[in-house]
Amino acid sequence: MYLHLGSGALVEKKSIVGIFDLDNTSQSHLTRKYLNLADKNGQVINVAEDIPKSFVVCRDGEQIKIYLSQMSTQTLLKRNNEDLIF
């Protein structure tokens, strides 16, 4: 199964490590440092057509990718859980 992050970007759900709100988490200097380092290493992929609201950390084997999305964490979590039956 895949999760649509916006702008035609899809990621495998099983590769998702976490979905984070950019406004809340970027208040921490550790998160800012992590994102800056990941950007310098070419691991950040901006799929936002506007100002990003969230970021999604994905792992494929040893490779880490961070996707910046214009969608809120609530929207992404809702999309992620749509195929689950409770």
Side-chain angles (χ1 to χ4, degrees):
M1 303 302 297
Y2 291 88
L3 176 63
H4 180 254
L5 302 177
S7 301
L10 299 171
V11 295
E12 279 190 274
K13 289 183 179 184
K14 67 180 182 179
S15 72
I16 296 173
V17 175
I19 300 173
F20 304 92
D21 181 273
L22 198 54
D23 285 337
N24 290 333
T25 57
S26 64
Q27 293 177 14
S28 166
H29 73 283
L30 295 174
T31 304
R32 288 192 308 270
K33 185 177 178 180
Y34 174 71
L35 291 173
N36 285 331
L37 182 61
D39 190 35
K40 288 179 186 177
N41 290 332
Q43 296 171 311
V44 176
I45 302 165
N46 189 352
V47 297
E49 294 174 2
D50 203 3
I51 298 171
K53 295 180 182 175
S54 62
F55 66 96
V56 180
V57 178
C58 297
R59 182 180 198 128
D60 185 19
E62 294 298 315
Q63 190 175 26
I64 298 287
K65 294 286 184 191
I66 300 169
Y67 295 88
L68 300 178
S69 176
Q70 68 188 21
M71 297 188 185
S72 70
T73 55
Q74 292 85 6
T75 300
L76 292 173
L77 290 171
K78 181 180 174 187
R79 286 182 177 190
N80 189 50
N81 294 328
E82 279 180 345
D83 63 333
L84 298 178
I85 299 173
F86 295 97

